Amino acid sequence: MGSAASHAAATPPPTAAEQPVGLGVLLPAKTEDKSKEKEMVDYLNLPCPVPFEEIQREALMSLKAEYFEGLRFDLTKGLSKKFSLSHSVYMGAMELPSQSSDTIKVPTAHYEFGANFLDPKLMLVGRVLTDGRLNARVKCDLTDNLTLKINAQLTNEPHFSQGMFNFDYKGSDYRTQFQLGNNAFYGANYIQSVTPYLTLGTEVFWLGLQRKSGIGFAARYNTNKMVTTGQVASTGIVALSYVQKVSEKVSLASDFMYNHITRDVTASFGYDYILRQSRLRGKVDSNGCVGAYLEERLNMGLNFILSAEIDHLKRDYKFGFGLTVGE
């Protein structure tokens, strides 16, 4: 009886329609992959793009390090939470313009004194050099979305002083900027997030003193692993850049620059490697220029800097080292 009852309770064998046939025996059963489902994009809630002037910031970080020649020493002393003083000494060489292919350098040295005031809504930065130059920067948040920026460079030489006023407005998914400068300079730009990854922008400018105007267009596509940008302007400039984030600490960058008026073409490749106590950046371009920039953190508030740049075509060699004290 027990055997008969167990056979009666057993699951009946599958029918011919239910049995897998052919390769179906080897292949796993189909399951719904919800991860492959396309996520719906909320075009009314797109992220705010980067400022128009910073559209290539990832590539510039690797390819345009602050290379220098000679000795540099920077000291920053905080007097309070918002106010600090800075001292900078530089001893090196200055290049003079020359019609020949040879590079003409003369020794130079200067001291720079600076004062900084940093507040969540106001930033004041001033620098004065021993040769009479004065640099000043002001950033003031007028509202949560509107920011005023002022940059000024004053020199003893006539017609070399510059001043610029920027009004930046930040929206939920766009940014716009209006610029006023000396020599009757007027400029404006606008950048808009089109998708969560794609950003498009445009800019216009007018130089009243030189009677020149221009218009430019830009595009930026960024994900968690890469950033690519493209810019074209009526002045004949075409600029492309690509940054690949290999890991959280390593990134590779490349850019391409073409000037339609002068027919100059330049391509470069660079890297950015962040270690536990140091950061190494370098580049090599199609003009035969190779550079490396190392920042080593020796202690809290103490950094050692090594800079090297070699231009094989011009036979120009630049080596420098520096020390930075203070945060």
Side-chain angles (χ1 to χ4, degrees):
M1 292 292 294
S3 175
S6 62
H7 282 293
T11 304
T15 61
E18 296 176 351
Q19 291 181 349
V21 181
L23 294 178
V25 180
L26 303 176
L27 297 177
K30 292 183 179 180
T31 58
E32 294 184 1
D33 190 359
K34 295 184 179 181
S35 62
K36 292 185 178 180
E37 293 182 0
K38 238 181 183 180
E39 297 182 359
M40 298 297 295
V41 178
D42 185 5
Y43 290 98
L44 298 179
N45 192 23
L46 295 176
C48 185
V50 300
F52 190 90
E53 63 270 18
E54 299 180 12
I55 196 170
Q56 293 184 343
R57 62 185 182 185
E58 291 84 1
L60 296 178
M61 186 65 67
S62 302
L63 302 173
K64 306 295 183 183
E66 298 179 1
Y67 298 105
F68 64 96
E69 182 179 12
L71 169 66
R72 196 178 80 182
F73 177 77
D74 300 313
L75 171 64
T76 302
K77 177 64 175 178
L79 302 180
S80 65
K81 293 183 179 179
K82 298 182 179 180
F83 187 70
S84 64
L85 300 178
S86 64
H87 308 269
S88 179
V89 177
Y90 172 75
M91 293 183 290
M94 180 177 60
E95 296 184 7
L96 297 179
S98 175
Q99 296 181 353
S100 62
S101 58
D102 297 334
T103 302
I104 301 176
K105 298 182 181 181
V106 295
T108 182
H110 65 253
Y111 164 75
E112 179 183 282
F113 173 77
N116 312 306
F117 179 82
L118 302 179
D119 187 75
K121 292 190 175 183
L122 178 63
M123 182 184 72
L124 303 174
V125 178
R127 298 287 185 271
V128 58
L129 286 79
T130 52
D131 58 5
R133 287 181 296 168
L134 174 65
N135 300 326
R137 288 189 301 159
V138 177
K139 180 182 178 183
C140 179
D141 294 336
L142 304 178
T143 65
D144 293 338
N145 297 328
L146 182 61
T147 301
L148 170 64
K149 297 179 182 179
I150 304 175
N151 296 323
Q153 297 178 355
L154 306 178
T155 64
N156 294 327
E157 302 178 11
H159 309 296
F160 279 89
S161 298
Q162 297 180 357
M164 182 74 68
F165 291 81
N166 297 335
F167 296 90
D168 299 346
Y169 186 82
K170 176 183 177 182
S172 59
D173 58 357
Y174 69 92
R175 289 178 185 263
T176 184
Q177 182 185 73
F178 183 71
Q179 301 172 322
L180 294 173
N182 60 330
N183 298 326
F185 174 82
Y186 303 94
N189 60 62
Y190 178 84
I191 188 168
Q192 171 75 53
S193 292
V194 181
T195 70
Y197 307 107
L198 179 61
T199 302
L200 300 178
T202 182
E203 66 172 344
V204 293
F205 70 89
W206 164 256
L207 278 171
L209 192 63
Q210 303 178 6
R211 299 292 179 178
K212 290 184 179 180
S213 62
I215 184 172
F217 302 93
R220 173 187 168 98
Y221 186 86
N222 68 294
T223 64
N224 295 331
K225 292 294 184 180
M226 53 81 70
V227 178
T228 181
T229 66
Q231 290 181 274
V232 59
S234 60
T235 55
I237 300 295
V238 178
L240 306 174
S241 70
Y242 177 81
V243 177
Q244 178 68 43
K245 301 176 183 178
V246 181
S247 65
E248 294 182 358
K249 298 183 178 181
V250 181
S251 62
L252 303 176
S254 63
D255 71 344
F256 173 84
M257 182 76 68
Y258 172 67
N259 192 326
H260 179 71
I261 298 176
T262 61
R263 304 295 182 179
D264 291 336
V265 180
T266 305
S268 58
F269 171 80
Y271 59 88
D272 190 353
Y273 190 16
I274 302 176
L275 301 172
R276 187 172 63 90
Q277 293 288 341
S278 62
R279 181 176 188 176
L280 178 63
R281 288 176 284 174
K283 66 156 187 178
V284 57
D285 62 27
S286 58
N287 293 327
C289 186
V290 182
Y293 193 85
L294 173 65
E295 297 173 275
E296 180 74 24
R297 190 183 186 92
L298 303 178
N299 204 341
M300 182 66 68
L302 181 61
N303 297 331
F304 179 68
I305 302 174
L306 281 177
S307 174
E309 188 177 22
I310 302 176
D311 193 331
H312 293 283
L313 295 182
K314 296 182 179 179
R315 296 181 180 179
D316 184 18
Y317 310 101
K318 300 178 182 178
F319 297 96
F321 63 96
L323 198 64
T324 302
V325 181
E327 295 295 339

